[in-house]
C-alpha cells in the first residue's frame, strides 16, 4: 500500500533537533530555523558527540562565519518561500533587512560559497514547494503561481520545466497515473 503524506519541514526539523539533543542533558533553545543556542557551557567532547549524532541525519554544526551567514541566507529563503502569505517586498530587500547586510554582499558571498546565485536558490525552493503543493492536491496551478509570487501560470510553468525537465501539468498527469496504478494494486 502506498500513502501520501504531508509535513511541515520546519516543525519536523525542530522536533527532530529537540529529540536528538534532549538525551545530552544540555539546556538549549531553538532560536529559529537552523539556529540553536546552548544555554550553558558545552565541552568540546560533548560537541563532538552531538556532531556525530546530528551527522547521522544530515545535520551539521557550522563554525565558519561565511558558512554560517550562507546557511542563514538559505534558512531565510526557505522561510520566505514557505510563508503563508505572499511577500509584498522584493526578495533582495527582504534578505537585506532580515540579515542586516547589503544585498550585494549577501549575493556575492552566497555565490562564492555555493557556486550558484541567490536567485537560482530561490527558484529551486519555489519549485520544491510547488511540487509539494501539487503532490498534496491542495491548490490549482493558478493558486500556486499566486502563492509563490509568479506573475502568471506560464512563468511558473517555464521555471518548473527549467528545474525539473517537465511542466507542472505533466507532473500532475504523472502523479495521477501513479495514484491510479497504486489503487489498482491494492
Amino acid at each position: 500500500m502506498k500513502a501520501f503524506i504531508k509535513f511541515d519541514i520546519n516543525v519536523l526539523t525542530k522536533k527532530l533537533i529537540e529529540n536528538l539533543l534532549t538525551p545530552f542533558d544540555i539546556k538549549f533553545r531553538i532560536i529559529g530555523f537552523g539556529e540553536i543556542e546552548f544555554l550553558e557551557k558545552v565541552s568540546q567532547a560533548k560537541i563532538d558527540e552531538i556532531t556525530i549524532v546530528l551527522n547521522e541525519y544530515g545535520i551539521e554544526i557550522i563554525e565558519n562565519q561565511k558558512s554560517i551567514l550562507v546557511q542563514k541566507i538559505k534558512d531565510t529563503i526557505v522561510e520566505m518561500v514557505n510563508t503563508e502569505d505572499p511577500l509584498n517586498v522584493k526578495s533582495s530587500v527582504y534578505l537585506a533587512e532580515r540579515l542586516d547586510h547589503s544585498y550585494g554582499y549577501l549575493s556575492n558571498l552566497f555565490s562564492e560559497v555555493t557556486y550558484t546565485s541567490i536567485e537560482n536558490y530561490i527558484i529551486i525552493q519555489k519549485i520544491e514547494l510547488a511540487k509539494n503543493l501539487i503532490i498534496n492536491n491542495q491548490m490549482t496551478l493558478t493558486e500556486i503561481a499566486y502563492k509563490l509570487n509568479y506573475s502568471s501560470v506560464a512563468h511558473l510553468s517555464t521555471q518548473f520545466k527549467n528545474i525539473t525537465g517537465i511542466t507542472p501539468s505533466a507532473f500532475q498527469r504523472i502523479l495521477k497515473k501513479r495514484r491510479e496504478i497504486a489503487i489498482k494494486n491494492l
Side-chain angles (χ1 to χ4, degrees), residues 87-168:
L87 296 175
N88 293 329
V89 64
K90 287 185 174 185
S91 55
S92 57
V93 173
Y94 182 81
L95 289 169
E97 287 177 358
R98 285 292 308 273
L99 299 171
D100 202 26
H101 289 283
S102 75
Y103 182 73
Y105 174 74
L106 295 173
S107 180
N108 289 336
L109 176 67
F110 194 86
S111 297
E112 173 190 323
V113 173
T114 65
Y115 304 105
T116 190
S117 67
I118 285 177
E119 293 79 11
N120 193 50
Y121 189 77
I122 291 171
I123 291 167
I124 291 168
Q125 293 306 310
K126 284 180 164 186
I127 299 308
E128 283 303 310
L129 179 55
K131 288 184 340 190
N132 285 331
L133 293 171
I134 291 169
I135 288 168
N136 293 317
N137 246 347
Q138 293 179 322
M139 302 176 158
T140 66
L141 291 179
T142 302
E143 291 169 331
I144 293 171
Y146 175 77
K147 177 176 178 49
L148 298 178
N149 237 359
Y150 282 102
S151 56
S152 66
V153 173
H155 187 206
L156 167 63
S157 295
T158 300
Q159 287 193 341
F160 195 99
K161 186 169 184 177
N162 288 342
I163 298 297
T164 65
I166 59 174
T167 65

